[in-house]
PDB file of all heavy atoms in Angstrom:
ATOM      1  N   ARG A 140     -11.366   0.956   2.248  1.00 94.00           N
ATOM      2  CA  ARG A 140     -11.366   0.776   3.697  1.00 94.00           C
ATOM      3  C   ARG A 140     -12.763   0.682   4.308  1.00 94.00           C
ATOM      4  O   ARG A 140     -12.979  -0.051   5.253  1.00 94.00           O
ATOM      5  CB  ARG A 140     -10.558   1.868   4.414  1.00 94.00           C
ATOM      6  CG  ARG A 140      -9.141   2.003   3.897  1.00 94.00           C
ATOM      7  CD  ARG A 140      -8.302   2.925   4.748  1.00 94.00           C
ATOM      8  NE  ARG A 140      -7.890   2.270   5.986  1.00 94.00           N
ATOM      9  CZ  ARG A 140      -6.830   1.468   6.096  1.00 94.00           C
ATOM     10  NH1 ARG A 140      -6.085   1.215   5.026  1.00 94.00           N
ATOM     11  NH2 ARG A 140      -6.519   0.914   7.237  1.00 94.00           N
ATOM     12  N   ASP A 141     -13.735   1.432   3.814  1.00 94.00           N
ATOM     13  CA  ASP A 141     -15.110   1.349   4.292  1.00 94.00           C
ATOM     14  C   ASP A 141     -15.993   2.026   3.256  1.00 94.00           C
ATOM     15  O   ASP A 141     -15.524   2.488   2.220  1.00 94.00           O
ATOM     16  CB  ASP A 141     -15.262   2.002   5.678  1.00 94.00           C
ATOM     17  CG  ASP A 141     -14.763   3.434   5.713  1.00 94.00           C
ATOM     18  OD1 ASP A 141     -15.149   4.226   4.829  1.00 94.00           O
ATOM     19  OD2 ASP A 141     -13.976   3.780   6.624  1.00 94.00           O
ATOM     20  N   ALA A 142     -17.291   2.076   3.538  1.00 95.00           N
ATOM     21  CA  ALA A 142     -18.236   2.626   2.565  1.00 95.00           C
ATOM     22  C   ALA A 142     -18.325   4.145   2.612  1.00 95.00           C
ATOM     23  O   ALA A 142     -19.203   4.737   1.979  1.00 95.00           O
ATOM     24  CB  ALA A 142     -19.625   2.018   2.789  1.00 95.00           C
ATOM     25  N   GLU A 143     -17.421   4.795   3.346  1.00 95.00           N
ATOM     26  CA  GLU A 143     -17.388   6.255   3.391  1.00 95.00           C
ATOM     27  C   GLU A 143     -16.120   6.832   2.771  1.00 95.00           C
ATOM     28  O   GLU A 143     -15.889   8.043   2.847  1.00 95.00           O
ATOM     29  CB  GLU A 143     -17.543   6.750   4.838  1.00 95.00           C
ATOM     30  CG  GLU A 143     -18.954   6.549   5.382  1.00 95.00           C
ATOM     31  CD  GLU A 143     -19.146   7.203   6.740  1.00 95.00           C
ATOM     32  OE1 GLU A 143     -18.177   7.785   7.274  1.00 95.00           O
ATOM     33  OE2 GLU A 143     -20.273   7.120   7.269  1.00 95.00           O
ATOM     34  N   HIS A 144     -15.306   5.984   2.165  1.00 96.00           N
ATOM     35  CA  HIS A 144     -14.131   6.464   1.444  1.00 96.00           C
ATOM     36  C   HIS A 144     -14.231   5.977  -0.003  1.00 96.00           C
ATOM     37  O   HIS A 144     -14.240   4.775  -0.251  1.00 96.00           O
ATOM     38  CB  HIS A 144     -12.833   5.948   2.075  1.00 96.00           C
ATOM     39  CG  HIS A 144     -12.492   6.605   3.370  1.00 96.00           C
ATOM     40  ND1 HIS A 144     -13.020   6.195   4.565  1.00 96.00           N
ATOM     41  CD2 HIS A 144     -11.693   7.676   3.642  1.00 96.00           C
ATOM     42  CE1 HIS A 144     -12.542   6.969   5.532  1.00 96.00           C
ATOM     43  NE2 HIS A 144     -11.747   7.879   4.999  1.00 96.00           N
ATOM     44  N   ILE A 145     -14.317   6.917  -0.913  1.00 97.00           N
ATOM     45  CA  ILE A 145     -14.543   6.585  -2.308  1.00 97.00           C
ATOM     46  C   ILE A 145     -13.309   6.924  -3.134  1.00 97.00           C
ATOM     47  O   ILE A 145     -12.628   7.916  -2.869  1.00 97.00           O
ATOM     48  CB  ILE A 145     -15.786   7.338  -2.848  1.00 97.00           C
ATOM     49  CG1 ILE A 145     -16.169   6.838  -4.233  1.00 97.00           C
ATOM     50  CG2 ILE A 145     -15.578   8.842  -2.833  1.00 97.00           C
ATOM     51  CD1 ILE A 145     -17.498   7.376  -4.707  1.00 97.00           C
ATOM     52  N   ILE A 146     -13.009   6.066  -4.090  1.00 97.00           N
ATOM     53  CA  ILE A 146     -11.862   6.303  -4.961  1.00 97.00           C
ATOM     54  C   ILE A 146     -12.176   7.445  -5.923  1.00 97.00           C
ATOM     55  O   ILE A 146     -13.206   7.450  -6.588  1.00 97.00           O
ATOM     56  CB  ILE A 146     -11.500   5.031  -5.750  1.00 97.00           C
ATOM     57  CG1 ILE A 146     -10.975   3.941  -4.797  1.00 97.00           C
ATOM     58  CG2 ILE A 146     -10.480   5.330  -6.839  1.00 97.00           C
ATOM     59  CD1 ILE A 146      -9.701   4.301  -4.061  1.00 97.00           C
ATOM     60  N   GLN A 147     -11.275   8.431  -5.949  1.00 95.00           N
ATOM     61  CA  GLN A 147     -11.373   9.570  -6.857  1.00 95.00           C
ATOM     62  C   GLN A 147     -10.052   9.749  -7.595  1.00 95.00           C
ATOM     63  O   GLN A 147      -8.998   9.609  -6.980  1.00 95.00           O
ATOM     64  CB  GLN A 147     -11.700  10.856  -6.072  1.00 95.00           C
ATOM     65  CG  GLN A 147     -13.038  10.853  -5.380  1.00 95.00           C
ATOM     66  CD  GLN A 147     -14.193  11.121  -6.320  1.00 95.00           C
ATOM     67  OE1 GLN A 147     -14.068  10.962  -7.543  1.00 95.00           O
ATOM     68  NE2 GLN A 147     -15.316  11.537  -5.785  1.00 95.00           N
ATOM     69  N   PRO A 148     -10.079  10.074  -8.890  1.00 95.00           N
ATOM     70  CA  PRO A 148     -11.266  10.053  -9.731  1.00 95.00           C
ATOM     71  C   PRO A 148     -11.807   8.628  -9.879  1.00 95.00           C
ATOM     72  O   PRO A 148     -11.103   7.669  -9.577  1.00 95.00           O
ATOM     73  CB  PRO A 148     -10.757  10.609 -11.055  1.00 95.00           C
ATOM     74  CG  PRO A 148      -9.293  10.353 -11.045  1.00 95.00           C
ATOM     75  CD  PRO A 148      -8.853  10.440  -9.634  1.00 95.00           C
ATOM     76  N   ARG A 149     -13.032   8.545 -10.340  1.00 94.00           N
ATOM     77  CA  ARG A 149     -13.696   7.251 -10.407  1.00 94.00           C
ATOM     78  C   ARG A 149     -12.888   6.257 -11.242  1.00 94.00           C
ATOM     79  O   ARG A 149     -12.292   6.611 -12.260  1.00 94.00           O
ATOM     80  CB  ARG A 149     -15.088   7.428 -11.028  1.00 94.00           C
ATOM     81  CG  ARG A 149     -15.884   6.142 -11.128  1.00 94.00           C
ATOM     82  CD  ARG A 149     -17.279   6.422 -11.620  1.00 94.00           C
ATOM     83  NE  ARG A 149     -18.135   6.915 -10.549  1.00 94.00           N
ATOM     84  CZ  ARG A 149     -18.885   8.012 -10.640  1.00 94.00           C
ATOM     85  NH1 ARG A 149     -18.875   8.730 -11.745  1.00 94.00           N
ATOM     86  NH2 ARG A 149     -19.632   8.396  -9.623  1.00 94.00           N
ATOM     87  N   GLU A 150     -12.848   5.018 -10.785  1.00 90.00           N
ATOM     88  CA  GLU A 150     -12.152   3.958 -11.499  1.00 90.00           C
ATOM     89  C   GLU A 150     -12.694   3.823 -12.922  1.00 90.00           C
ATOM     90  O   GLU A 150     -13.893   3.894 -13.157  1.00 90.00           O
ATOM     91  CB  GLU A 150     -12.345   2.641 -10.733  1.00 90.00           C
ATOM     92  CG  GLU A 150     -11.520   1.487 -11.236  1.00 90.00           C
ATOM     93  CD  GLU A 150     -11.724   0.230 -10.403  1.00 90.00           C
ATOM     94  OE1 GLU A 150     -12.564   0.247  -9.483  1.00 90.00           O
ATOM     95  OE2 GLU A 150     -11.044  -0.767 -10.687  1.00 90.00           O
ATOM     96  N   ARG A 151     -11.806   3.638 -13.886  1.00 90.00           N
ATOM     97  CA  ARG A 151     -12.224   3.552 -15.287  1.00 90.00           C
ATOM     98  C   ARG A 151     -12.976   2.261 -15.609  1.00 90.00           C
ATOM     99  O   ARG A 151     -13.754   2.207 -16.551  1.00 90.00           O
ATOM    100  CB  ARG A 151     -10.999   3.662 -16.203  1.00 90.00           C
ATOM    101  CG  ARG A 151     -10.345   5.051 -16.193  1.00 90.00           C
ATOM    102  CD  ARG A 151      -9.181   5.107 -17.149  1.00 90.00           C
ATOM    103  NE  ARG A 151      -8.548   6.422 -17.150  1.00 90.00           N
ATOM    104  CZ  ARG A 151      -7.499   6.726 -17.904  1.00 90.00           C
ATOM    105  NH1 ARG A 151      -6.960   5.808 -18.691  1.00 90.00           N
ATOM    106  NH2 ARG A 151      -6.987   7.940 -17.834  1.00 90.00           N
ATOM    107  N   LEU A 152     -12.727   1.226 -14.826  1.00 92.00           N
ATOM    108  CA  LEU A 152     -13.379  -0.055 -15.070  1.00 92.00           C
ATOM    109  C   LEU A 152     -14.896   0.076 -14.980  1.00 92.00           C
ATOM    110  O   LEU A 152     -15.429   0.609 -14.014  1.00 92.00           O
ATOM    111  CB  LEU A 152     -12.901  -1.078 -14.039  1.00 92.00           C
ATOM    112  CG  LEU A 152     -13.571  -2.458 -14.087  1.00 92.00           C
ATOM    113  CD1 LEU A 152     -13.239  -3.152 -15.398  1.00 92.00           C
ATOM    114  CD2 LEU A 152     -13.128  -3.295 -12.901  1.00 92.00           C
ATOM    115  N   MET A 153     -15.597  -0.403 -16.001  1.00 95.00           N
ATOM    116  CA  MET A 153     -17.065  -0.400 -16.003  1.00 95.00           C
ATOM    117  C   MET A 153     -17.507  -1.841 -16.244  1.00 95.00           C
ATOM    118  O   MET A 153     -17.504  -2.330 -17.380  1.00 95.00           O
ATOM    119  CB  MET A 153     -17.591   0.542 -17.078  1.00 95.00           C
ATOM    120  CG  MET A 153     -17.086   1.971 -16.900  1.00 95.00           C
ATOM    121  SD  MET A 153     -17.691   3.131 -18.137  1.00 95.00           S
ATOM    122  CE  MET A 153     -19.307   3.505 -17.465  1.00 95.00           C
ATOM    123  N   PRO A 154     -17.863  -2.564 -15.198  1.00 97.00           N
ATOM    124  CA  PRO A 154     -18.144  -3.998 -15.321  1.00 97.00           C
ATOM    125  C   PRO A 154     -19.491  -4.291 -15.975  1.00 97.00           C
ATOM    126  O   PRO A 154     -20.429  -3.492 -15.894  1.00 97.00           O
ATOM    127  CB  PRO A 154     -18.142  -4.456 -13.865  1.00 97.00           C
ATOM    128  CG  PRO A 154     -18.584  -3.254 -13.107  1.00 97.00           C
ATOM    129  CD  PRO A 154     -18.000  -2.083 -13.825  1.00 97.00           C
ATOM    130  N   LEU A 155     -19.569  -5.442 -16.599  1.00 98.00           N
ATOM    131  CA  LEU A 155     -20.852  -5.915 -17.123  1.00 98.00           C
ATOM    132  C   LEU A 155     -21.756  -6.285 -15.958  1.00 98.00           C
ATOM    133  O   LEU A 155     -21.331  -7.010 -15.045  1.00 98.00           O
ATOM    134  CB  LEU A 155     -20.644  -7.115 -18.035  1.00 98.00           C
ATOM    135  CG  LEU A 155     -21.914  -7.666 -18.704  1.00 98.00           C
ATOM    136  CD1 LEU A 155     -21.631  -8.059 -20.144  1.00 98.00           C
ATOM    137  CD2 LEU A 155     -22.464  -8.857 -17.928  1.00 98.00           C
ATOM    138  N   VAL A 156     -23.000  -5.796 -15.979  1.00 98.00           N
ATOM    139  CA  VAL A 156     -23.929  -6.091 -14.888  1.00 98.00           C
ATOM    140  C   VAL A 156     -25.170  -6.836 -15.365  1.00 98.00           C
ATOM    141  O   VAL A 156     -25.896  -7.408 -14.549  1.00 98.00           O
ATOM    142  CB  VAL A 156     -24.371  -4.815 -14.141  1.00 98.00           C
ATOM    143  CG1 VAL A 156     -23.215  -4.223 -13.363  1.00 98.00           C
ATOM    144  CG2 VAL A 156     -24.975  -3.798 -15.082  1.00 98.00           C
ATOM    145  N   MET A 157     -25.440  -6.843 -16.680  1.00 98.00           N
ATOM    146  CA  MET A 157     -26.596  -7.584 -17.173  1.00 98.00           C
ATOM    147  C   MET A 157     -26.301  -8.115 -18.571  1.00 98.00           C
ATOM    148  O   MET A 157     -25.700  -7.418 -19.397  1.00 98.00           O
ATOM    149  CB  MET A 157     -27.853  -6.700 -17.213  1.00 98.00           C
ATOM    150  CG  MET A 157     -29.136  -7.487 -17.540  1.00 98.00           C
ATOM    151  SD  MET A 157     -30.656  -6.509 -17.341  1.00 98.00           S
ATOM    152  CE  MET A 157     -30.537  -5.417 -18.776  1.00 98.00           C
ATOM    153  N   LEU A 158     -26.730  -9.353 -18.828  1.00 98.00           N
ATOM    154  CA  LEU A 158     -26.532  -9.971 -20.132  1.00 98.00           C
ATOM    155  C   LEU A 158     -27.778 -10.732 -20.543  1.00 98.00           C
ATOM    156  O   LEU A 158     -28.570 -11.173 -19.698  1.00 98.00           O
ATOM    157  CB  LEU A 158     -25.325 -10.905 -20.110  1.00 98.00           C
ATOM    158  CG  LEU A 158     -25.415 -12.158 -19.219  1.00 98.00           C
ATOM    159  CD1 LEU A 158     -24.569 -13.274 -19.816  1.00 98.00           C
ATOM    160  CD2 LEU A 158     -24.950 -11.848 -17.804  1.00 98.00           C
ATOM    161  N   ASP A 159     -27.962 -10.840 -21.837  1.00 98.00           N
ATOM    162  CA  ASP A 159     -29.027 -11.667 -22.402  1.00 98.00           C
ATOM    163  C   ASP A 159     -28.417 -13.029 -22.696  1.00 98.00           C
ATOM    164  O   ASP A 159     -27.575 -13.172 -23.595  1.00 98.00           O
ATOM    165  CB  ASP A 159     -29.569 -11.019 -23.677  1.00 98.00           C
ATOM    166  CG  ASP A 159     -30.796 -11.744 -24.221  1.00 98.00           C
ATOM    167  OD1 ASP A 159     -30.903 -12.975 -24.012  1.00 98.00           O
ATOM    168  OD2 ASP A 159     -31.632 -11.091 -24.867  1.00 98.00           O
ATOM    169  N   LEU A 160     -28.811 -14.032 -21.932  1.00 97.00           N
ATOM    170  CA  LEU A 160     -28.215 -15.360 -22.038  1.00 97.00           C
ATOM    171  C   LEU A 160     -28.417 -15.998 -23.402  1.00 97.00           C
ATOM    172  O   LEU A 160     -27.676 -16.907 -23.791  1.00 97.00           O
ATOM    173  CB  LEU A 160     -28.787 -16.277 -20.957  1.00 97.00           C
ATOM    174  CG  LEU A 160     -28.403 -15.924 -19.512  1.00 97.00           C
ATOM    175  CD1 LEU A 160     -29.283 -16.688 -18.535  1.00 97.00           C
ATOM    176  CD2 LEU A 160     -26.933 -16.213 -19.256  1.00 97.00           C
TER     177      LEU A 160
END
Side-chain angles (χ1 to χ4, degrees):
R140 306 189 76 84
D141 55 50
E143 289 187 358
H144 287 84
I145 189 171
I146 293 297
Q147 296 282 20
R149 181 174 280 130
E150 188 178 4
R151 292 182 180 180
L152 176 65
M153 302 181 81
L155 183 140
V156 291
M157 188 171 73
L158 66 150
D159 187 330
L160 292 167

